[in-house]
Amino acid sequence: MLNYSVSEENYIKAIFHLQQQDGTVTTNELAGELNTRPASVTDMMKKLKAKKLVHYQPYRGFRLSAEGSKVALGIIRRHRLWEYFLAEKLKFSWDEVHAVAEELEHVSSKKLIEKLDEFLGYPKADPHGDPIPDVNGKIEHYSYQCLASLPANKLVVVSHVSNQSNEILDLLKHKKISIGTKLEIKRRFDFDDSMEIKIGRQPVFTISKQVAENIFVKIN
Amino acid sequence: MLNYSVSEENYIKAIFHLQQQDGTVTTNELAGELNTRPASVTDMMKKLKAKKLVHYQPYRGFRLSAEGSKVALGIIRRHRLWEYFLAEKLKFSWDEVHAVAEELEHVSSKKLIEKLDEFLGYPKADPHGDPIPDVNGKIEHYSYQCLASLPANKLVVVSHVSNQSNEILDLLKHKKISIGTKLEIKRRFDFDDSMEIKIGRQPVFTISKQVAENIFVKIN
DNA sequence: AAATTATTTTAGGCAAAGCTAAAATAATTT
DNA sequence: AAATTATTTTAGCTTTGCCTAAAATAATTT
C-alpha cells in the first residue's frame, strides 16, 4: 500500500463521510467540509483521479473508487483506534478525543496500528460508538434501531429512512429531518404512539407512529 | 508557545543534538545530519533566525538561542515519551521505537503529552537510557562513563547508547545488550581496542572499539 | 426557450521546502 | 602573499497545496 500526504488523506476521509449520505459528492460540499475553496477541491480531485482513488468527471461530482475506499477505511481505523486510546487509557473526555485523533491518524506506521490495536484489546467501536474497521478494512455495519421502538429521553442520530415515497420525504423535508440530524425523544404517547421530538434548540414538535416507523437511528 | 512546522522542528532537534558535541554547528554538518543540501540549510537558518530560534551570522555557523533550546527540549520530551510508550506498552523492540517516535513527536497537542506522561507514570528515561525532559524542559544529566574508556575487570550496567542507528541497535540486539544489562569487562586488547565482555553466565564475546565507544555505563 | 443564477473549472499567483549551478567567502597550501 | 581548495550563500527553478478572479458549464427562473 502506498503512502499519501496529510492533505490527500483528509480529502479521502471527507469524501468517504460525505458519500455515506449522498452517494456522490459535489465540489462545494467538500470545500465546505474541509474549510477550503472549490478551486482547491478541483485541483485535488484531478490528483486523486490520476492516482485512481476517485471516480471523477468534470462538473459531475465524484466518489471514491474501490481502492479509495480501502484507503479511507485505513484512515478511519487509525482515527478510531486513537480515539479509543485517548478516552480509555489517557482519560480524555469524550469531546476532546476527536481533534487529537485527527493528528495521530496520519502517522503512517502499519506496525504501530497493529500493536496499538492489540494493546487496546481489539476494541469494536470508538468512544462515540462508531465501529472500528479491521486490518482488512472490514467494518461492522451499524444495527440501526427503529425510532418507533425507542423510549423517551434518548438522543439519536438519523441514519436511514426506509421509505422512498415523495410523501414521507416531503414531510421529513418540512420537519427538517434528514440523514445526520440529531434528535431528542422528549415524550411518547401511548394513545397513538406519537412522539414529541426536539432538534437542537428548536421548539418541540410531534411526529406520528407512521413516520417514526420509517426512521432508523443510531443511539448517540 | 508558538507552533512550528515538521521541517522546522527537525532542524531544531538536529541542531540541538549536534551542538551538544560541537558547541557551534556548521551548514555542512547539519546538511549531513538531515540528508539535505547545504543550500536548503542556509534557507532554513534564515527563517529560524528571523524567528529568533538560532543565533546565526553568514559563514559563521549557528547555535540555538535560549528560546530555540526550549523548543528543542519540548520536541525531545515528546520523542522520548513516545519511545517509552512504544517499548513499554506496545512492546516494540528498542531498535524499532526511534523511527515511529520521529513521526509521533510532531503531534502538537500539549494536553496529549501531559496525559501520556501521567499514563506512563512519569518515566525518567527512554528505552535507550536517554533522560526525558520535564514539562519545563529541565533535563537530568547523568555522569555515565564510556565503556571504551574503562579497564578490564570492571562490573558495569549499561545505561545509555549514544547512537540511534538501526545498525548499532541491530548489533546490540543480537549480542543481547540493552539498557540495564550487567556487563563484565574481561579483557582489553591494545591492538584494536576491542574488548571481551561477559553477561551473567553466558560465554564471553568480543565487541569492537566502535561499539564500545557508543555504550555508556554506570560502574557497579 | 431565453435569461438569470449557481456551481465548477481554469488560469495565474503565492508560500514552504526542497533542489542545482554559480558566485562569494573562508581556510589551507604552496 | 598568492593560489588553490573547501565551504557557504545566492539565484533561480520545482512541487505541493492553497488562493483569487475570470471563464465555462449546469441548473433554475421567467
Side-chain angles (χ1 to χ4, degrees), chain A residues 52 65 68 83 85 122 126 164 172 200 204 212 214:
Chain A
K52 297 186 184 297
S65 68
E83 280 198 344
F85 168 75
Y122 307 103
D126 75 9
Q164 309 284 62
L172 293 178
V204 166
N214 281 291

PDB file of all heavy atoms in Angstrom, chain A residues 52 65 68 83 85 122 126 164 172 200 204 212 214:
ATOM      1  N   LYS A  52      -6.096   7.145  -9.194  1.00  0.00           N
ATOM      2  CA  LYS A  52      -7.174   6.160  -9.237  1.00  0.00           C
ATOM      3  C   LYS A  52      -7.859   5.941  -7.885  1.00  0.00           C
ATOM      4  O   LYS A  52      -8.299   4.829  -7.567  1.00  0.00           O
ATOM      5  CB  LYS A  52      -6.662   4.814  -9.776  1.00  0.00           C
ATOM      6  CG  LYS A  52      -6.154   4.901 -11.219  1.00  0.00           C
ATOM      7  CD  LYS A  52      -5.805   3.501 -11.739  1.00  0.00           C
ATOM      8  CE  LYS A  52      -5.197   3.548 -13.128  1.00  0.00           C
ATOM      9  NZ  LYS A  52      -6.082   4.089 -14.189  1.00  0.00           N
ATOM     10  N   SER A  65     -13.141   5.392  -5.477  1.00  0.00           N
ATOM     11  CA  SER A  65     -13.011   4.093  -6.142  1.00  0.00           C
ATOM     12  C   SER A  65     -12.893   3.025  -5.057  1.00  0.00           C
ATOM     13  O   SER A  65     -12.822   3.339  -3.866  1.00  0.00           O
ATOM     14  CB  SER A  65     -11.743   4.085  -6.986  1.00  0.00           C
ATOM     15  OG  SER A  65     -10.618   4.133  -6.131  1.00  0.00           O
ATOM     16  N   GLY A  68      -9.816   3.748  -3.283  1.00  0.00           N
ATOM     17  CA  GLY A  68     -10.005   4.920  -2.426  1.00  0.00           C
ATOM     18  C   GLY A  68     -10.733   4.579  -1.138  1.00  0.00           C
ATOM     19  O   GLY A  68     -10.385   5.066  -0.058  1.00  0.00           O
ATOM     20  N   GLU A  83      -8.777   7.366  19.029  1.00  0.00           N
ATOM     21  CA  GLU A  83      -9.827   7.925  19.891  1.00  0.00           C
ATOM     22  C   GLU A  83     -10.074   7.018  21.093  1.00  0.00           C
ATOM     23  O   GLU A  83     -10.215   7.477  22.223  1.00  0.00           O
ATOM     24  CB  GLU A  83     -11.138   8.082  19.107  1.00  0.00           C
ATOM     25  CG  GLU A  83     -11.179   9.309  18.225  1.00  0.00           C
ATOM     26  CD  GLU A  83     -12.604   9.671  17.815  1.00  0.00           C
ATOM     27  OE1 GLU A  83     -13.514   8.828  17.961  1.00  0.00           O
ATOM     28  OE2 GLU A  83     -12.807  10.810  17.364  1.00  0.00           O
ATOM     29  N   PHE A  85      -7.967   4.907  22.392  1.00  0.00           N
ATOM     30  CA  PHE A  85      -6.793   5.026  23.272  1.00  0.00           C
ATOM     31  C   PHE A  85      -6.875   6.284  24.139  1.00  0.00           C
ATOM     32  O   PHE A  85      -6.655   6.240  25.360  1.00  0.00           O
ATOM     33  CB  PHE A  85      -5.517   5.062  22.425  1.00  0.00           C
ATOM     34  CG  PHE A  85      -4.276   5.454  23.183  1.00  0.00           C
ATOM     35  CD1 PHE A  85      -3.656   4.561  24.042  1.00  0.00           C
ATOM     36  CD2 PHE A  85      -3.724   6.729  23.035  1.00  0.00           C
ATOM     37  CE1 PHE A  85      -2.501   4.919  24.745  1.00  0.00           C
ATOM     38  CE2 PHE A  85      -2.579   7.091  23.733  1.00  0.00           C
ATOM     39  CZ  PHE A  85      -1.972   6.189  24.593  1.00  0.00           C
ATOM     40  N   TYR A 122      -8.267  -5.089  20.927  1.00  0.00           N
ATOM     41  CA  TYR A 122      -9.116  -5.188  19.737  1.00  0.00           C
ATOM     42  C   TYR A 122     -10.520  -4.634  19.956  1.00  0.00           C
ATOM     43  O   TYR A 122     -11.513  -5.359  19.842  1.00  0.00           O
ATOM     44  CB  TYR A 122      -9.175  -6.643  19.247  1.00  0.00           C
ATOM     45  CG  TYR A 122      -7.816  -7.252  19.036  1.00  0.00           C
ATOM     46  CD1 TYR A 122      -7.276  -8.148  19.958  1.00  0.00           C
ATOM     47  CD2 TYR A 122      -7.045  -6.896  17.927  1.00  0.00           C
ATOM     48  CE1 TYR A 122      -6.001  -8.685  19.778  1.00  0.00           C
ATOM     49  CE2 TYR A 122      -5.778  -7.428  17.742  1.00  0.00           C
ATOM     50  CZ  TYR A 122      -5.262  -8.323  18.667  1.00  0.00           C
ATOM     51  OH  TYR A 122      -4.003  -8.848  18.489  1.00  0.00           O
ATOM     52  N   ASP A 126     -15.348   3.011  18.682  1.00  0.00           N
ATOM     53  CA  ASP A 126     -14.685   4.145  19.333  1.00  0.00           C
ATOM     54  C   ASP A 126     -15.606   4.750  20.397  1.00  0.00           C
ATOM     55  O   ASP A 126     -16.722   4.267  20.590  1.00  0.00           O
ATOM     56  CB  ASP A 126     -14.246   5.155  18.271  1.00  0.00           C
ATOM     57  CG  ASP A 126     -15.399   5.977  17.714  1.00  0.00           C
ATOM     58  OD1 ASP A 126     -16.530   5.912  18.249  1.00  0.00           O
ATOM     59  OD2 ASP A 126     -15.179   6.687  16.725  1.00  0.00           O
ATOM     60  N   GLN A 164     -39.048   5.497   0.331  1.00  0.00           N
ATOM     61  CA  GLN A 164     -38.573   6.490  -0.633  1.00  0.00           C
ATOM     62  C   GLN A 164     -39.712   7.322  -1.232  1.00  0.00           C
ATOM     63  O   GLN A 164     -39.491   8.065  -2.165  1.00  0.00           O
ATOM     64  CB  GLN A 164     -37.839   5.781  -1.789  1.00  0.00           C
ATOM     65  CG  GLN A 164     -36.760   4.810  -1.345  1.00  0.00           C
ATOM     66  CD  GLN A 164     -35.494   5.510  -0.884  1.00  0.00           C
ATOM     67  OE1 GLN A 164     -35.494   6.272   0.097  1.00  0.00           O
ATOM     68  NE2 GLN A 164     -34.404   5.277  -1.595  1.00  0.00           N
ATOM     69  N   LEU A 172     -40.694  14.887   5.825  1.00  0.00           N
ATOM     70  CA  LEU A 172     -39.416  14.995   6.545  1.00  0.00           C
ATOM     71  C   LEU A 172     -38.686  16.283   6.196  1.00  0.00           C
ATOM     72  O   LEU A 172     -38.078  16.924   7.042  1.00  0.00           O
ATOM     73  CB  LEU A 172     -38.523  13.790   6.228  1.00  0.00           C
ATOM     74  CG  LEU A 172     -39.039  12.445   6.764  1.00  0.00           C
ATOM     75  CD1 LEU A 172     -38.104  11.316   6.360  1.00  0.00           C
ATOM     76  CD2 LEU A 172     -39.219  12.467   8.279  1.00  0.00           C
ATOM     77  N   GLY A 200     -31.981  20.173  18.300  1.00  0.00           N
ATOM     78  CA  GLY A 200     -31.159  21.277  18.808  1.00  0.00           C
ATOM     79  C   GLY A 200     -31.966  22.152  19.740  1.00  0.00           C
ATOM     80  O   GLY A 200     -32.619  21.658  20.666  1.00  0.00           O
ATOM     81  N   VAL A 204     -40.054  21.987  20.323  1.00  0.00           N
ATOM     82  CA  VAL A 204     -40.506  20.606  20.219  1.00  0.00           C
ATOM     83  C   VAL A 204     -41.623  20.495  19.180  1.00  0.00           C
ATOM     84  O   VAL A 204     -42.413  21.412  19.021  1.00  0.00           O
ATOM     85  CB  VAL A 204     -41.024  20.140  21.601  1.00  0.00           C
ATOM     86  CG1 VAL A 204     -41.819  18.848  21.489  1.00  0.00           C
ATOM     87  CG2 VAL A 204     -39.847  19.966  22.564  1.00  0.00           C
ATOM     88  N   ALA A 212     -42.466   7.622  12.542  1.00  0.00           N
ATOM     89  CA  ALA A 212     -41.399   7.065  13.395  1.00  0.00           C
ATOM     90  C   ALA A 212     -40.990   5.668  12.958  1.00  0.00           C
ATOM     91  O   ALA A 212     -39.831   5.277  13.076  1.00  0.00           O
ATOM     92  CB  ALA A 212     -41.846   7.056  14.854  1.00  0.00           C
ATOM     93  N   ASN A 214     -40.629   4.637  10.080  1.00  0.00           N
ATOM     94  CA  ASN A 214     -39.776   4.672   8.893  1.00  0.00           C
ATOM     95  C   ASN A 214     -38.414   5.325   9.114  1.00  0.00           C
ATOM     96  O   ASN A 214     -37.604   5.385   8.199  1.00  0.00           O
ATOM     97  CB  ASN A 214     -40.508   5.398   7.763  1.00  0.00           C
ATOM     98  CG  ASN A 214     -41.519   4.492   7.107  1.00  0.00           C
ATOM     99  OD1 ASN A 214     -41.152   3.545   6.428  1.00  0.00           O
ATOM    100  ND2 ASN A 214     -42.798   4.752   7.351  1.00  0.00           N
TER     101      ASN A 214
END
